[in-house]
């Protein structure tokens, strides 16, 4: 039953392949119960967070369902009937942070607990305290530990937020294009999603936004904290202030997307959207994965409404307590912030290389702008895009592509790709860009008359 080893493969991918084998060997057509997080953690000698990441991936593919207080189940026939998997944005490897995280966790595991409190409570409370301190700006803009809620990933967190605030099935406004993780969560919750078009500067059109807020039963607005992705454009403080004034006229929840703010190339700006809005209607969405790596998939939300705390308490997510404590320790020691300085430099350098390679290869056949942050480059191609050909062309390379349509629920951006380069050698990048150019030729670069 052991699958083929993949050099350098993340631990959660190995657990994922192990679970695939368990699903495939199941018999019958009814639901197949899978091992619990703790049982699989002990069996494979990996952390709870690693097992959780593997299960999250299977859930996203539609092959596994988590039933609260019951466990994980898979339909034996689910593989053939699974919903199409969305390509996921690759993350830069952070070996220093991942080693620090695992090192803290091992040291704490060797220490005897000095408190009678359960480890789960210690890890949860310490991380929530650390996040509350990190987001507190002043005596008038502060957060408490009870305002912070944790979840295994962004998908599970948003589903719990929508259920806790009784927003499921309601109408939500999003900046377009929008983060694919957020869009997927809204789609699964049955939300009616309205996409706000951009103005000439790339910001959501305030006039269109005002019309929608005044004429539609909107319950939530999703906007970036300071960096609009996938374009990688910084949102000006003047625009944030105007948006805050508009929201003062409407009783709607603001979900501030803070997932990519740490990736601003010049460092996060001093002002965020949250500085201009009523805190009673504010929710701040964040996660650790983009900064720390795949071993820290946890997401969090900050909000003052008591219904949030109740919803997360009832959901009772089982998170790895030692990993939560390790993350809290890294926040307290500012290890994450110090490493982010180097990460921003690396992302900026890679994006500059990618921009130059694309301009040399495609010239006027592409439209792009150098972003101000993020790990993606948002590119509009002037020729038709065949996604299967693009995937085949870039397989095995450090150049990754996400289809533009993934950033919209209304079929937009068919001519766009979000490109991510995680390599270090410009020569390898040039070869990958050349293969991409061949894949974009008619019929995947094959001569006319040759069948697929």
């Amino acid at each position: 039953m052991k699958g083929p080893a993949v050099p350098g493969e993340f631990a959660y991918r190995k657990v994922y392949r192990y679970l695939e084998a368990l699903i495939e060997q199941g018999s019958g057509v009814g639901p197949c119960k899978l091992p619990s997080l703790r049982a699989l953690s002990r069996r494979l000698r990996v952390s709870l967070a690693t097992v959780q990441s593997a299960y999250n991936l299977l859930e996203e593919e539609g092959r596994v369902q988590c039933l609260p207080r019951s466990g994980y189940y898979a339909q034996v026939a689910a593989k053939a009937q699974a919903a199409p998997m969305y390509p996921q944005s690759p993350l830069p490897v952070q070996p220093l942070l991942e080693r620090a995280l695992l090192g803290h966790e091992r040291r704490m595991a060797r220490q005897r607990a000095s408190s009678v409190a359960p480890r789960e409570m210690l890890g949860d409370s310490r991380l929530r305290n650390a996040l509350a301190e990190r987001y507190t700006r002043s005596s008038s803009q502060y957060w408490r530990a009870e305002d912070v809620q944790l979840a295994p990933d962004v998908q599970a967190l948003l589903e719990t937020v929508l259920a806790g605030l009784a927003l499921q099935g309601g109408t939500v406004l999003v900046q377009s294009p929008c983060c694919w993780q957020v869009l997927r969560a809204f789609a699964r919750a049955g939300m009616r999603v309205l996409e706000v078009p951009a103005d000439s500067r790339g910001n959501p059109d305030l006039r269109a936004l005002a019309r929608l807020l005044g004429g539609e039963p909107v319950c939530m607005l999703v906007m970036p904290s300071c960096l609009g992705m996938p374009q990688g454009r910084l949102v000006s403080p003047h625009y944030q202030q105007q948006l805050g004034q508009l929201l003062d006229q409407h009783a709607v929840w603001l979900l501030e997307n803070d997932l990519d703010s740490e990736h601003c190339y010049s460092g996060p700006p001093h002002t965020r959207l949250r500085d201009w809005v009523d805190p009673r209607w504010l929710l701040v969405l964040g996660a650790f994965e983009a900064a720390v790596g795949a071993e820290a998939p946890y997401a969090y939300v900050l909000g003052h409404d008591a219904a949030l705390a109740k919803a997360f308490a009832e959901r009772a997510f089982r998170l790895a307590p030692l990993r939560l404590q390790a993350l809290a320790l890294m926040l307290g020691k500012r290890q994450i912030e110090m490493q982010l300085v180097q990460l921003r430099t690396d992302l900026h350098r890679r994006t500059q290389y990618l921009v130059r390679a694309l301009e040399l290869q495609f010239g006027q056949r592409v439209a792009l702008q150098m972003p101000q942050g993020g790990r993606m480059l948002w590119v509009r191609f002037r020729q038709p895009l065949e996604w299967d050909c693009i995937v085949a062309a870039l397989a095995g390379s450090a150049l990754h592509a996400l289809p533009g349509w993934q950033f919209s629920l209304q079929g937009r951006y068919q001519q766009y790709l979000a490109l991510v380069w995680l390599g270090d050698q410009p020569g390898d990048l040039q070869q990958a860009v050349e293969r991409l150019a061949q894949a974009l030729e008619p019929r995947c670069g094959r001569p006319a008359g040759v069948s697929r």
Side-chain angles (χ1 to χ4, degrees), residues 269-281:
H270 294 294
T271 61
R272 307 290 183 94
L273 180 56
R274 71 183 80 113
D275 299 329
W276 306 99
V277 301
D278 186 340
R280 295 174 299 175
W281 293 93

Side-chain angles (χ1 to χ4, degrees), residues 247-328:
L247 289 177
D248 284 342
Q249 306 170 29
H250 303 276
V252 299
W253 288 101
L254 170 66
L255 179 66
E256 183 194 64
N257 185 346
D258 204 33
L259 296 174
D260 299 288
S261 299
E262 301 290 356
H263 289 169
C264 300
Y265 297 150
S266 58
H270 294 294
T271 61
R272 307 290 183 94
L273 180 56
R274 71 183 80 113
D275 299 329
W276 306 99
V277 301
D278 186 340
R280 295 174 299 175
W281 293 93
L282 173 64
L283 304 170
V284 182
L285 168 67
F288 290 101
E289 189 173 34
V292 180
E295 290 295 332
Y298 304 123
Y300 55 86
V301 64
L302 291 85
H304 295 295
D305 197 295
L308 283 178
K310 180 180 179 182
F312 279 85
E314 292 177 348
R315 184 62 181 82
F317 290 115
R318 302 187 69 175
L319 310 179
L322 287 181
R323 189 141 300 182
L324 298 184
Q325 292 186 57
L327 285 169

